[in-house]
C-alpha cells in the first residue's frame, strides 16, 4: 500500500515518508519554483538590506522607534528569504531527504520564526502609528527607544519560542498524534495553534489600521475645513495621513499574499488534501516571499526620509563613479604633458 495514503502516525514519522510531501512531479514545476524562489529571494535580500543601510546610515532615522520597527521587519524578511529559499528549494526541487527529523523541524522553526517576526513587526509598526495619531501630544513619552527595543525583544523571543515548539516535542512523532498533510512531522493541533496565532496578529493589525484610517480621514476633513490654518499641526497631520496610507498598502499586500496559504492550511485541518491542492500550496508559499519583496518598495516610494536617503546614496555613487572615470583621463593628460616637456 502507498505510504502516502496511510494516515497512521508511524508512516508519517519515518524519514522515507518525507517523499510523500515532495509534490512537484514534473521538471517544469521544479524549474518554476526554483525560478520564483531565486528571483523573489534575491530581490528581497537586496531590497531589505538596502532599507537597513538607509535607516542605520542616517542618525535621524535610526533614532526613531518607528524606523526601529521597520528595521526589524526588514531583518525578519531577510532571514525568511534565506532560510525559506534554501530549505524549500532543497526539499522540493532537489528532493533532498538526507537529514533527520530534528534538522527538518529546525529549518521549519527558522522559517516560522522569521515570517512570524515579520508579521509581528508590522503589528508594532501599526501600534506605533496608532499611538502617534490617537495621542500625538504624549507620543514621545509613550514610545521611547528603550520601550521600542523591549517590544522588539519580546517580539523575537515570543516568535522563536512559538516556532520551536515542534522541535521541543510538540510534534506528531513524539505525541503519537495526527500529522499534518502539508508539513512532515508537524502535529495538526500545533498547526491549528500557529494559524490562530497568525490570525490574531492579522486581526490586531487590521484593528489598528482601521483606527488609523478613521483618524486620518478625520484629519483630512479637518484640513479641508480649516485651509487657512497652516503650521506644524497640519504638517503633522499630513505626515500621519501619508504613513496611514503606506501602512494600508503594506496590509493589502500582506493579506493578498498570505490569504491563499492560510486558507489551504485551515482546509487541510478539516479535510483531506488532493495532490493538486498540495501543489497549489507549494506555489502559494512563494507568495510569502513576494510579500517580503514588496514591502521595501512601498517604503522607498512612500517614506520621504528613506526616499531622500536613497537619492543621496545614488547621487554619491554617481559622483564616485564619475570621479573614477575622470581620474585615468587626468593621469594620462598629466603624463603626456610631462613627456612633451
Amino acid at each position: 500500500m502507498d505510504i502516502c495514503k496511510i494516515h497512521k502516525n508511524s508512516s508519517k514519522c519515518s524519514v522515507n515518508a518525507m517523499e510523500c510531501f515532495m509534490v512537484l512531479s514534473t521538471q517544469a514545476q521544479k524549474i518554476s519554483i526554483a525560478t520564483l524562489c531565486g528571483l523573489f529571494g534575491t530581490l528581497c535580500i537586496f531590497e531589505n538590506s538596502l532599507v537597513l543601510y538607509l535607516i542605520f546610515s542616517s542618525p535621524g532615522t535610526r533614532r526613531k522607534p518607528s524606523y526601529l520597527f521597520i528595521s526589524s521587519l526588514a531583518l525578519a524578511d531577510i532571514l525568511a528569504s534565506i532560510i525559506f529559499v534554501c530549505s524549500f528549494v532543497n526539499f522540493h526541487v532537489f528532493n533532498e531527504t538526507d537529514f533527520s527529523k530534528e534538522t527538518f523541524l529546525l529549518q521549519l522553526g527558522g522559517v516560522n520564526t522569521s515570517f512570524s517576526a515579520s508579521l509581528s513587526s508590522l503589528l508594532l509598526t501599526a501600534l506605533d502609528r496608532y499611538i502617534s495619531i490617537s495621542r500625538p501630544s504624549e507620543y514621545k513619552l509613550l514610545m521611547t527607544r528603550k520601550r521600542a527595543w523591549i517590544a522588539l525583544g519580546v517580539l523575537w523571543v515570543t516568535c522563536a519560542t512559538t516556532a520551536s515548539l515542534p522541535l521541543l516535542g510538540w510534534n506528531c512523532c513524539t505525541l503519537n498524534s495526527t500529522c499534518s498533510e502539508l508539513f512532515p512531522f508537524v502535529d495538526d493541533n500545533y498547526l491549528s495553534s500557529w494559524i490562530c496565532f497568525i490570525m490574531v496578529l492579522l486581526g490586531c493589525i487590521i484593528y489598528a489600521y482601521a483606527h488609523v484610517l478613521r483618524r486620518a480621514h478625520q484629519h483630512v476633513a479637518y484640513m479641508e475645513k480649516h485651509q487657512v490654518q497652516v503650521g506644524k499641526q497640519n504638517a503633522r497631520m499630513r505626515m500621519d495621513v501619508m504613513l496611514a496610507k503606506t501602512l494600508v498598502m503594506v496590509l493589502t499586500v500582506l493579506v493578498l499574499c498570505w490569504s491563499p496559504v492560510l486558507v489551504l492550511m485551515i482546509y487541510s485541518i478539516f479535510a483531506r488534501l488532493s495532490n493538486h491542492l498540495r501543489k497549489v500550496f507549494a506555489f502559494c508559499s512563494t507568495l510569502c516571499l513576494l510579500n517580503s519583496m514588496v514591502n521595501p518598495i512601498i517604503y522607498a516610494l512612500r517614506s520621504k526620509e528613506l526616499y531622500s536617503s536613497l537619492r543621496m546614496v545614488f547621487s554619491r555613487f554617481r559622483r564616485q563613479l564619475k570621479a573614477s572615470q575622470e581620474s585615468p583621463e587626468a593621469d594620462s593628460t598629466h603624463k603626456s604633458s610631462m613627456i612633451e616637456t
Side-chain angles (χ1 to χ4, degrees):
M1 185 179 294
D2 186 4
I3 60 174
C4 298
K5 297 181 180 180
I6 298 177
H7 278 279
K8 293 182 179 180
N9 299 321
S10 58
S11 66
K12 289 295 184 72
C13 289
S14 64
V15 177
N16 293 331
M18 293 183 66
E19 298 177 358
C20 304
F21 297 88
M22 299 175 181
V23 295
L24 303 182
S25 55
T26 65
Q27 195 67 18
Q29 294 174 353
K30 294 181 179 180
I31 293 175
S32 299
I33 284 288
T35 303
L36 291 174
C37 288
L39 178 62
F40 293 161
T42 303
L43 290 176
C44 179
I45 293 172
F46 171 76
E47 292 171 359
N48 284 285
S49 299
L50 181 61
V51 169
L52 287 177
Y53 173 77
L54 293 176
I55 290 175
F56 286 98
S57 63
S58 173
T61 55
R62 66 169 176 258
R63 292 189 184 128
K64 296 182 179 180
S66 57
Y67 284 103
L68 289 179
F69 300 146
I70 293 176
S71 301
S72 174
L73 175 62
L75 177 61
D77 287 338
I78 290 174
L79 294 177
S81 301
I82 295 174
I83 302 173
F84 177 84
V85 170
C86 292
S87 58
F88 196 78
V89 171
N90 193 40
F91 185 81
H92 284 288
V93 177
F94 298 107
N95 300 135
E96 182 64 43
T97 59
D98 189 19
F99 48 80
S100 62
K101 175 191 73 175
E102 290 74 18
T103 303
F104 178 84
L105 291 178
L106 180 62
Q107 293 177 353
L108 184 63
V111 174
N112 287 345
T113 298
S114 304
F115 281 127
S116 301
S118 178
L119 294 179
S120 300
S121 299
L122 279 176
L123 174 59
L124 289 183
T125 308
L127 293 177
D128 176 74
R129 286 298 93 208
Y130 178 91
I131 297 173
S132 174
I133 203 169
S134 61
R135 305 174 72 176
S137 60
E138 305 175 23
Y139 173 76
K140 290 186 178 181
L141 295 176
L142 295 174
M143 189 58 66
T144 61
R145 280 175 55 84
K146 181 179 179 180
R147 291 181 178 179
W149 280 112
I150 292 175
L152 289 175
V154 173
L155 178 158
W156 281 92
V157 169
T158 301
C159 292
T161 303
T162 304
S164 300
L165 292 178
L167 183 63
L168 297 176
W170 192 356
N171 56 72
C172 59
C173 304
T174 304
L175 300 177
N176 194 28
S177 55
T178 305
C179 297
S180 170
E181 292 188 344
L182 292 175
F183 306 100
F185 314 127
V186 174
D187 179 60
D188 256 349
N189 292 326
Y190 170 78
L191 183 60
S192 302
S193 302
W194 189 81
I195 292 173
C196 292
F197 173 64
I198 297 299
M199 297 298 289
V200 168
L201 288 179
L202 290 174
C204 293
I205 294 173
I206 292 173
Y207 174 80
Y209 285 170
H211 180 82
V212 170
L213 275 180
R214 182 168 59 85
R215 293 300 297 266
H217 178 72
Q218 294 175 354
H219 285 180
V220 171
Y222 177 86
M223 286 187 291
E224 290 178 351
K225 185 177 180 180
H226 303 82
Q227 293 182 357
V228 180
Q229 299 180 3
V230 179
K232 293 183 179 180
Q233 185 177 8
N234 283 348
R236 183 179 183 85
M237 289 178 181
R238 294 190 190 96
M239 183 185 68
D240 289 336
V241 171
M242 187 74 172
L243 288 173
K245 292 180 179 178
T246 300
L247 296 180
V248 169
M249 292 175 63
V250 173
L251 177 62
T252 302
V253 174
L254 177 73
V255 172
L256 291 177
C257 291
W258 275 85
S259 293
V261 172
L262 290 176
V263 168
L264 288 173
M265 284 183 182
I266 295 173
Y267 182 77
S268 70
I269 296 174
F270 299 101
R272 181 78 181 271
L273 291 178
S274 63
N275 287 334
H276 176 70
L277 284 179
R278 294 202 293 169
K279 289 179 183 179
V280 172
F281 178 79
F283 278 92
C284 288
S285 298
T286 60
L287 292 177
C288 300
L289 273 181
L290 178 63
N291 172 56
S292 299
M293 185 193 73
V294 171
N295 283 341
I297 299 176
I298 297 176
Y299 301 144
L301 292 178
R302 304 290 298 180
S303 174
K304 290 184 178 180
E305 292 176 295
L306 289 185
Y307 184 71
S308 299
S309 299
L310 182 61
R311 291 184 61 183
M312 290 178 60
V313 169
F314 279 133
S315 62
R316 192 185 314 129
F317 176 76
R318 283 197 301 265
R319 287 197 301 268
Q320 292 177 353
L321 184 62
K322 186 177 180 180
S324 63
Q325 290 176 349
E326 291 177 351
S327 179
E329 297 177 0
D331 291 342
S332 62
T333 304
H334 177 70
K335 289 180 181 179
S336 61
S337 62
M338 288 294 292
I339 293 174
E340 291 176 0
T341 304

